[in-house]
Amino acid sequence: MTTTLPLLVAYDGSADARRALIWTARESLRTGTPVRVLAVNEILPPTWGGVGGMVVVTEGYVLDSSALLEEAEKTLADEGVTNAITEQRTGPVVSELLLAAESASALVIGSQGHGAAGEALIGSVSQHLARHATCPVVVVREPRDSAARRIIVGIDGSRTSAAALEYACRRAETTGETVVAIHGFHVRVPSTDVWASTPRSVETDERERLLSESIAGVREDHPDVRLEQEVVAVAPERCLVDASASASLVVVGSRGLGYFSGLLLGSVSQAVLHRATCPVAVVR
């Protein structure tokens, strides 16, 4: 008997974590996938102070997440999910999330949290989770266009961008959203050697051919999905971020080719995860 791996959502009580929780609940109801909520108890460091010229050290202590999990259960119940599994662990937040993600179909986090726990859900740590988790990672934020029905996928011909496109099309089969495969590329600086330089039109044709070849098989596998393609002579990070303004979701692969090789290693990943104005899914 096959067991469906749950959607794992990290919860710290912040507004963004609640948004991630609601997104997860709706995904669960749409797909029938179970939900697992994880709250990580943090060990706060010792505090130092002075009393009457003496140094006083207050021992570190563990924050109890029981109340957070009760709150999460109520939020899920309000959305119609009544059979979620809740769990609290104690330890480094990132390590515990990565460990739990090994038995999840996706790890869902808010774009940022609050307090000490919030640091685990913002900035370089979200990239760390996206880079190292063994399952897709979804960073949820409020979309700029709440009525958007387009899933944007970054395509560069790599294996992981193909996986990202497959992820998007499987989702679109049940949501009816349009999938837009985008290939952005840096425009080459014209060579001073007129005989060696590549005409702009030739380079664009090559990029369009790469994109068409990348999505050809997917069209056959998902004939009912409306799949569009765009080649944009703009840096990959910029075109994906710009496209997110009218998207319900942006999906990217964990590693790419060429300029996309930095997708989760440098500027492109930072731009997509930090600046996209809709949820972002990172697929491997």
Side-chain angles (χ1 to χ4, degrees):
M1 178 178 178
T2 301
T3 301
T4 302
L5 294 177
L7 293 165
L8 173 67
V9 56
Y11 192 69
D12 70 351
S14 67
D16 282 311
R18 185 175 186 277
R19 186 174 292 114
L21 193 65
I22 292 173
W23 189 93
T24 303
R26 294 173 181 174
E27 283 295 293
S28 173
L29 294 174
R30 181 179 66 82
T31 63
T33 307
V35 175
R36 178 184 175 193
V37 183
L38 179 61
V40 180
N41 297 324
E42 295 181 285
I43 302 176
L44 298 185
T47 58
W48 298 72
V51 178
M54 298 180 61
V55 176
V56 178
V57 179
T58 303
E59 294 184 1
Y61 61 96
V62 176
L63 289 177
D64 188 354
S65 298
S66 299
L68 288 180
L69 293 178
E70 292 178 5
E71 179 182 289
E73 289 177 343
K74 182 180 184 306
T75 298
L76 289 172
D78 290 343
E79 292 293 323
V81 177
T82 58
N83 58 348
I85 298 173
T86 60
E87 179 186 359
Q88 57 177 314
R89 295 185 178 185
T90 299
V93 176
V94 174
S95 298
E96 293 299 333
L97 287 174
L98 288 176
L99 183 61
E102 293 178 0
S103 56
S105 61
L107 168 60
V108 186
I109 61 177
S111 59
Q112 58 183 330
H114 62 59
E119 293 302 316
L121 302 181
I122 187 173
S124 62
V125 179
S126 64
Q127 291 187 46
H128 188 89
L129 292 172
R131 185 183 298 119
H132 295 291
T134 55
C135 64
V137 174
V138 181
V139 179
V140 178
R141 57 172 55 86
E142 192 71 28
R144 176 175 294 180
D145 182 358
S146 59
R149 301 284 295 164
R150 302 198 322 155
I151 303 174
I152 303 298
V153 186
I155 299 294
D156 70 342
S158 67
R159 179 186 60 80
T160 54
S161 74
L165 184 59
E166 176 66 23
Y167 177 95
C169 288
R170 286 201 308 268
R171 175 185 173 87
E173 282 182 328
T174 59
T175 64
E177 294 166 294
T178 297
V179 175
V180 184
I182 295 182
H183 176 73
F185 67 97
H186 292 265
V187 178
R188 297 172 184 171
V189 177
S191 172
T192 55
D193 183 350
V194 296
W195 301 107
S197 60
T198 302
R200 172 80 170 273
S201 60
V202 173
E203 182 173 8
T204 300
D205 289 345
E206 292 175 351
R207 303 286 181 163
E208 290 179 345
R209 188 178 307 111
L210 180 151
L211 181 56
S212 295
E213 292 174 353
S214 297
I215 68 176
V218 177
R219 285 190 185 280
E220 296 179 2
D221 295 339
H222 303 278
D224 297 328
V225 173
R226 182 178 178 182
L227 179 57
E228 300 177 355
Q229 61 187 81
E230 295 181 13
V231 171
V232 186
V234 174
E237 61 270 28
R238 179 181 169 187
C239 74
L240 291 175
V241 170
D242 287 351
S244 73
S246 59
S248 52
L249 180 70
V250 172
V251 187
V252 292
S254 59
R255 296 179 185 274
L257 301 173
Y259 282 103
F260 263 80
S261 63
L263 192 56
L264 287 178
L265 304 174
S267 62
V268 176
S269 65
Q270 292 172 4
V272 175
L273 289 175
H274 288 256
R275 292 168 47 206
T277 52
C278 70
V280 176
V282 180
V283 179
R284 56 183 21 81

